């Protein structure tokens, strides 16, 4: 039986769960944003609030990391997981911001496919974070996230092909490309989160 000389700080589990739940809210705001008749200004304000909340959670994790003597798993992995979760939030926020700044009233229909992948990835991530405490039933999570990221890649390539089909003028192509690239990067960041969780699980097994 392993004895602990110092109490381990388990508050990280709750903080990671909070960060992941915030991503679910952000992903659903993205879905709302690209819906017909959406109040984009109001949604953009809500997304900014999500982004600020995400930053606060990330900073809280980093502060706790500096204060903790004993952590539930490697400090480097805690840092990577917090940073990857924050990266997802930043990308989704950037996509919303660009849509507003560029005044993109008309978006390619395929963007809904990108956003739905992000919404599903956010839900899976939020479901997985509480399981970090026991390190059980996580394998399916990172497998499904990997599959979603592959799906996101395919959607991204189809969207690029459409952008360069001649349907849009050159300036609009550049604007839309920025948006879909942010969404693609968000999908990549979700995979980075899953890869970090897999690495933690392997080390703890």
């Amino acid at each position: 039986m392993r004895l602990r000389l110092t109490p381990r700080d388990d508050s990280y589990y709750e903080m990671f769960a909070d960060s992941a739940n915030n991503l679910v809210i952000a992903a659903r705001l993205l879905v709302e944003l690209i819906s017909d008749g959406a109040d984009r200004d109001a949604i953009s304000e809500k997304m900014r609030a999500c982004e600020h909340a995400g930053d606060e959670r990330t900073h809280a994790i980093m502060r706790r990391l500096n204060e903790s003597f004993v952590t539930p798993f490697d400090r480097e992995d805690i840092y990577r997981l917090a940073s990857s979760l924050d990266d997802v939030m930043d990308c989704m926020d950037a996509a919303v911001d660009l849509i507003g700044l560029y005044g993109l009233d008309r978006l390619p229909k395929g963007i809904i496919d990108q956003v739905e992948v992000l919404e599903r990835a956010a839900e899976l991530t939020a479901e997985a974070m509480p399981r970090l405490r026991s390190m059980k039933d996580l394998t399916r999570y990172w497998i499904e996230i990997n599959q979603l990221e592959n799906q996101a890649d395919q959607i991204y390539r189809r969207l690029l092909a459409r952008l360069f089909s001649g349907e849009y003028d050159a300036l609009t192509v550049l604007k839309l490309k920025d948006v879909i690239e942010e969404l693609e990067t968000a999908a990549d960041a979700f995979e980075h989160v899953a890869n970090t969780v897999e690495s933690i699980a392997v080390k703890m097994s």
Side-chain angles (χ1 to χ4, degrees):
M1 180 177 176
R2 185 180 298 174
L3 298 176
R4 269 188 213 144
L5 299 178
T6 359
R8 186 178 69 182
D9 189 347
D10 287 341
S11 61
Y12 293 100
Y13 300 118
E14 183 177 344
M15 289 191 285
F16 283 132
D18 286 344
S19 293
N21 288 331
N22 192 50
L23 295 181
V24 174
I25 296 170
R28 289 174 180 168
L29 285 172
L30 265 174
V31 173
E32 189 180 346
L33 182 81
I34 62 177
S35 302
D36 292 336
D39 184 344
R40 288 187 173 178
D41 289 338
I43 294 168
S44 294
E45 284 295 325
K46 291 178 183 178
M47 183 63 86
R48 275 192 287 273
C50 267
E51 197 275 333
H52 291 154
D55 281 345
E56 288 173 4
R57 287 171 171 83
T58 302
H59 294 322
I61 293 170
M62 297 309 179
R63 284 195 300 271
R64 185 59 56 90
L65 192 56
N66 289 332
E67 296 166 358
S68 300
F69 183 70
V70 179
T71 55
F73 39 86
D74 285 355
R75 305 175 80 87
E76 180 182 343
D77 288 329
I78 292 173
Y79 177 84
R80 283 177 56 205
L81 186 53
S83 297
S84 296
L85 289 165
D86 190 55
D87 287 345
V88 177
M89 184 69 248
D90 287 345
C91 291
M92 290 195 287
D93 177 58
V96 170
D97 201 28
L98 287 171
I99 289 170
L101 290 172
Y102 287 160
L104 292 169
D105 296 325
R106 180 186 167 217
L107 297 170
K109 289 183 179 179
I111 279 186
I112 186 61
D113 297 326
Q114 270 193 308
V115 171
E116 286 177 348
V117 165
L118 294 180
E119 183 182 26
R120 181 58 183 150
E123 290 167 352
L124 287 170
T125 302
E127 291 167 8
M129 289 300 108
R131 298 201 293 271
L132 286 173
R133 188 182 294 272
S134 64
M135 290 294 167
K136 293 180 180 178
D137 303 318
L138 283 166
T139 304
R140 190 65 203 160
Y141 155 65
W142 61 69
I143 290 174
E144 288 188 23
I145 290 291
N146 180 261
Q147 292 170 343
L148 284 173
E149 200 279 329
N150 290 338
Q151 185 179 341
D153 285 344
Q154 294 171 0
I155 295 167
Y156 172 68
R157 289 191 292 268
R158 288 199 301 269
L159 278 168
L160 278 184
R162 183 171 179 185
L163 289 186
F164 292 109
S165 68
E167 180 179 349
Y168 302 93
D169 63 79
L171 186 57
T172 302
V173 167
L174 293 175
K175 293 176 181 180
L176 290 172
K177 188 170 181 290
D178 282 350
V179 173
I180 67 171
E181 282 181 347
E182 289 292 349
L183 297 175
E184 169 65 8
T185 305
D188 290 341
F190 269 121
E191 188 177 41
H192 295 160
V193 172
N195 289 343
T196 302
V197 170
E198 182 178 10
S199 174
I200 292 166
V202 168
K203 291 177 184 177
M204 298 291 286
S205 62

